[in-house]
Amino acid sequence: MSILLAALFLLASPQSGVERITVAPADANVAGLSKAITPKVTFRRNVASATRAPWVDSNGWRYLRQPDGHFYCDAPGVAAATLAAAEAFAYDVPVKIRTDSAGSESLTKMLAFLRTVKEGDYSPLINIGFVDDGSAESGEFMNLLVRRNLLFKVVKQPDPKLDLNVELGSTQYPKSEAANPSLLAEKVRANLTDAKRLLRLYGSEVVVSRLMGHGDDVRLYLFNYGVARSPANGVRIRVLGAFHKQKAMQFDAPETKLIDVTVDSGATEFTLPELKTFAIINLAK
Amino acid sequence: MDTAANRVDAAAVKLMLSRGIRELTGASNDHDAWSHFISPGDTVGIKVNCSGAPEINSNPELVSAIIDSLIALGVPADRIYIYDRFENQLRIVNFGPKVAAGVKIVGAESSRGSILGYDPYTYVEADFFGEEDTRSNLIRIVSDTLTKVINIPTMKEHRAAGVTGCLKNIAYGDFSNVARSHQREKSNTYSFIGTLASVEPLRSRTVLNIMDGLRSLWQGGPFLQSPKFLFFPKQIVLGTDPVALDHLLIDMIEGKRKQEGAPSLFDRSPGHLKRGPELDPQFNSFIREPGHVEYASTLGLGIFDKDRLKDKVVEL
């Protein structure tokens, strides 16, 4: 009987989307699951660092490294819990979110919102192929790429179809440079060139994005990791390509409209006037 | 200027402004003098400087006198804007009750970092230190509302730019995301200030500069880090050429620093660099870039060469 039940559970187990997100109490069992960190921003003004940028704790790189992984995330409070759900949804990974009562309440609303999002067969749109050797250095470097919105995917070997390939230990990217991942990310950006970047964000250092595409349609996910402190009052977005139709939806702001839209010079630009926690923007030609 | 009480005499400032604008234009009365720059049909922005508020900022007494002159010229109060980048700093100065009723007071950033008060289509793109946001956008009302701008900087030393006068106030004070140009001891103000100040329509709409030198700072600017750095030149300086006026400002601050035994603004010695509050005049966090003023002259923003300038001092 127990074998039969397990088989039935596996057959019924949701394979994608919002149903892969589980809400659990803070002391729930997480045996066998990989740890994801609490999504947030840490402002470390008094700590010497390579940049003055606030420290964004994002799980994007972790989910890109292990797309088949199963994770848990301790996310107490409204901001962390909703961000954790947004990350899981956008990166399409199963995550058990352990939270408190405030987080649980907001997650109920967040999951209801995510269920309204029309699913599509989207694939990541990326500029960079990164040959991940599984090392801690590579992990930290991927973290920097995600935080700087340098769109990449993990590849087994360099893919000539991509704008740029990066492999730590290669002549162009020696391992020694990984000691300063921030500087290395700058180098990658310079080698890629801003003109080729599929996506640029202006106006916030704490907003991270994920860009997806399906045919002529593009979907953009935007996470405001600084939401616990304040909403982002205006994010200017530039997407390569001409998209004459734009539609925004936002978890905690149902009336979301894009402003100052322009479509020219091979790119589409618009401003999201306020980003609270998580927004989804659909673009079509 | 009552220096003991640090209080400005509004009537004296009004007199200084009236005499100054007539001397600048050669007009025999205020109406004709202001008509050189402003028409009744204009929408006028008064770009103040509030970065050192409440201790040192564009004095409301001076701003009020300018507004009264504009209203007397026929510009309706509701087409006069006092503006700056940060709404919280404007609130500290609290111009509202101190100027004519109906004047609008606008801060581009109602909350720090907000981009909504800036024009998304007018920007300077530059990558200084690998920052992700490489754009500095012009304040939106300058693009879409104002037809003229009167620039009212305060006359101060600036720890990164060397001095903050006409050019710095109109450049860094009218664009978003400019603090990114300083990192560690390095500042890119040398070329960035002039580059921003030369962006249209800001450049052509800025028709007059009136530097507020009733109070000044010789160290630690743009903020008052210690009262010992405050001094009282008791002057206002009017002109159409921001480079020429800023050259005068450099001379004034240099003179004061020499008198106080402080290193020159042009000193680039690593021995005078130290991070942290600039409470010892022998040290500074940045290598100052007062050369930004001369550099701006190469962009056609004005004349730096003193031999080619007309400088008239009027004492009242």
Side-chain angles (χ1 to χ4, degrees):
Chain A
M1 187 65 175
S2 61
I3 292 169
L4 179 62
L5 275 176
L8 282 172
F9 177 76
L10 281 173
L11 285 171
S13 177
Q15 295 303 304
S16 65
V18 64
E19 306 308 330
R20 303 179 80 179
I21 301 168
T22 316
V23 184
D27 58 354
N29 181 20
V30 289
L33 301 179
S34 302
K35 182 179 170 62
I37 58 171
T38 307
K40 64 180 184 306
V41 169
T42 309
F43 293 91
R44 300 194 287 192
R45 287 184 182 279
N46 298 323
V47 176
S49 65
T51 77
R52 293 192 306 175
W55 192 264
V56 174
D57 286 332
S58 156
N59 288 299
W61 71 275
R62 193 171 276 110
Y63 297 156
L64 288 172
R65 174 178 260 184
Q66 289 180 264
D68 299 323
H70 288 69
F71 298 88
Y72 77 94
C73 180
D74 287 327
V78 173
T82 48
L83 275 168
E87 283 185 329
F89 180 80
Y91 288 91
D92 197 17
V93 288
V95 179
K96 180 185 275 192
I97 300 171
R98 298 198 301 186
T99 190
D100 53 18
S101 59
S104 180
E105 195 177 319
S106 65
L107 275 174
T108 303
K109 294 175 191 162
M110 179 61 151
L111 297 182
F113 164 75
L114 293 175
R115 285 190 188 95
T116 68
V117 179
K118 194 177 167 188
E119 287 195 27
D121 190 16
Y122 291 97
S123 305
L125 296 176
I126 46 108
N127 289 118
I128 301 164
F130 180 69
V131 183
D132 180 15
D133 60 7
S135 66
E137 291 92 340
S138 287
E140 184 52 26
F141 177 62
M142 287 193 287
N143 186 17
L144 263 292
L145 293 180
V146 167
R147 285 170 49 193
R148 305 229 176 142
N149 293 297
L150 290 159
L151 306 175
F152 74 98
K153 70 174 179 181
V154 173
V155 292
K156 286 196 169 62
Q157 55 191 24
D159 181 348
K161 292 197 289 295
L162 298 173
D163 296 317
L164 188 74
N165 286 282
V166 178
E167 183 174 9
L168 295 186
S170 62
T171 315
Q172 198 167 14
Y173 303 101
K175 275 263 184 188
S176 56
E177 291 185 3
N180 188 338
S182 179
L183 207 59
L184 189 58
E186 271 180 45
K187 180 179 175 179
V188 166
R189 175 182 163 191
N191 289 344
L192 173 63
T193 73
D194 282 348
K196 280 190 185 169
R197 291 174 66 183
L198 296 171
L199 178 78
R200 295 292 310 277
L201 295 186
Y202 307 93
S204 174
E205 291 180 300
V206 296
V207 174
V208 171
S209 63
R210 178 156 165 80
L211 190 67
M212 311 291 285
H214 175 63
D216 285 343
D217 294 341
V218 162
R219 173 171 284 181
L220 178 64
Y221 298 112
L222 293 167
F223 315 91
N224 176 15
Y225 284 90
V227 67
R229 198 179 214 198
S230 68
N233 290 122
V235 183
R236 185 81 179 155
I237 298 148
R238 182 179 194 272
V239 179
L240 220 54
F243 299 98
H244 295 276
K245 295 176 191 164
Q246 312 89 22
K247 191 176 179 191
M249 54 197 301
Q250 190 165 177
F251 155 58
D252 31 14
E255 297 295 317
T256 292
K257 286 202 167 67
L258 302 173
I259 59 171
D260 297 323
V261 179
T262 55
V263 183
D264 60 10
S265 308
T268 304
E269 283 202 19
F270 47 86
T271 299
L272 181 63
E274 183 182 63
L275 174 60
K276 290 188 174 175
T277 308
F278 178 56
I280 300 170
I281 297 169
N282 290 318
L283 305 173
K285 296 199 168 173
Chain B
M1 182 87 220
D2 179 347
T3 55
N6 193 5
R7 191 171 299 151
V8 173
D9 181 336
V13 169
K14 201 154 192 158
L15 199 62
M16 290 166 79
L17 179 68
S18 171
R19 181 70 184 275
I21 195 80
R22 283 183 282 128
E23 290 289 345
L24 177 66
T25 57
S28 59
N29 60 66
D30 282 10
H31 184 278
D32 290 351
W34 283 100
S35 296
H36 273 80
F37 307 107
I38 308 290
S39 303
D42 277 322
T43 300
V44 183
I46 298 178
K47 172 63 185 76
V48 291
N49 182 295
C50 301
S51 61
E55 292 90 356
I56 182 162
N57 47 263
S58 305
N59 278 292
E61 294 82 357
L62 176 59
V63 173
S64 175
I66 293 166
I67 288 169
D68 289 348
S69 300
L70 297 175
I71 291 172
L73 190 66
V75 181
D78 64 359
R79 277 201 275 115
I80 299 172
Y81 291 71
I82 297 171
Y83 79 95
D84 205 349
R85 285 186 59 206
F86 303 118
E87 196 176 287
N88 64 331
Q89 293 180 349
L90 281 163
R91 272 201 299 269
I92 291 170
V93 181
N94 193 22
F95 284 101
K98 302 166 191 165
V99 300
V103 170
K104 292 172 178 160
I105 300 171
V106 176
E109 295 186 31
S110 51
S111 61
R112 278 293 174 115
S114 169
I115 64 169
L116 300 175
Y118 296 94
D119 175 1
Y121 309 115
T122 307
Y123 55 84
V124 173
E125 187 135 24
D127 177 357
F128 294 117
F129 298 103
E131 65 275 12
E132 173 60 15
D133 187 346
T134 47
R135 289 182 182 174
S136 289
N137 293 68
L138 182 60
I139 288 180
R140 201 184 276 258
I141 60 164
V142 178
S143 294
D144 65 14
T145 304
L146 307 178
T147 58
K148 297 281 172 59
V149 173
I150 299 173
N151 186 22
I152 318 291
T154 47
M155 298 177 77
K156 295 185 289 190
E157 180 268 356
H158 190 283
R159 58 188 181 160
V163 292
T164 170
C166 300
L167 289 163
K168 175 77 166 44
N169 192 51
I170 207 69
Y172 275 47
D174 272 271
F175 285 85
S176 66
N177 192 29
V178 289
R180 67 194 170 96
S181 71
H182 321 313
Q183 201 173 101
R184 298 206 171 89
E185 75 284 354
K186 167 77 178 161
S187 159
N188 286 284
T189 44
Y190 178 82
S191 58
F192 201 36
I193 288 176
T195 302
L196 294 171
S198 59
V199 170
E200 292 293 357
L202 175 66
R203 176 181 181 158
S204 55
R205 288 180 187 171
T206 306
V207 293
L208 180 62
N209 300 278
I210 304 176
M211 282 206 289
D212 185 339
L214 298 172
R215 298 184 186 88
S216 183
L217 282 180
W218 59 274
Q219 166 74 15
F223 316 109
L224 179 69
Q225 300 194 41
S226 166
K228 68 185 177 185
F229 302 136
L230 192 65
F231 69 114
F232 300 92
K234 301 181 189 175
Q235 59 181 254
I236 61 172
V237 186
L238 297 90
T240 52
D241 182 330
V243 174
L245 267 60
D246 281 359
H247 197 164
L248 296 176
L249 172 61
I250 289 173
D251 290 349
M252 186 186 90
I253 301 290
E254 276 287 84
K256 179 65 178 171
R257 289 180 64 82
K258 192 171 179 184
Q259 189 186 329
E260 298 286 345
S264 163
L265 295 170
F266 291 87
D267 180 277
R268 302 180 78 83
S269 159
H272 289 137
L273 285 173
K274 189 163 75 178
R275 293 295 297 171
E278 287 82 7
L279 295 172
D280 179 346
Q282 296 303 316
F283 297 101
N284 193 45
S285 294
F286 298 97
I287 299 169
R288 295 184 184 88
E289 298 289 0
H292 77 263
V293 178
E294 187 168 9
Y295 177 80
S297 72
T298 68
L299 301 176
L301 284 162
I303 296 169
F304 187 77
D305 181 359
K306 280 193 150 178
D307 293 339
R308 296 171 59 206
L309 300 176
K310 276 193 238 171
D311 172 16
K312 185 172 183 179
V313 179
V314 179
E315 288 198 38
L316 297 175

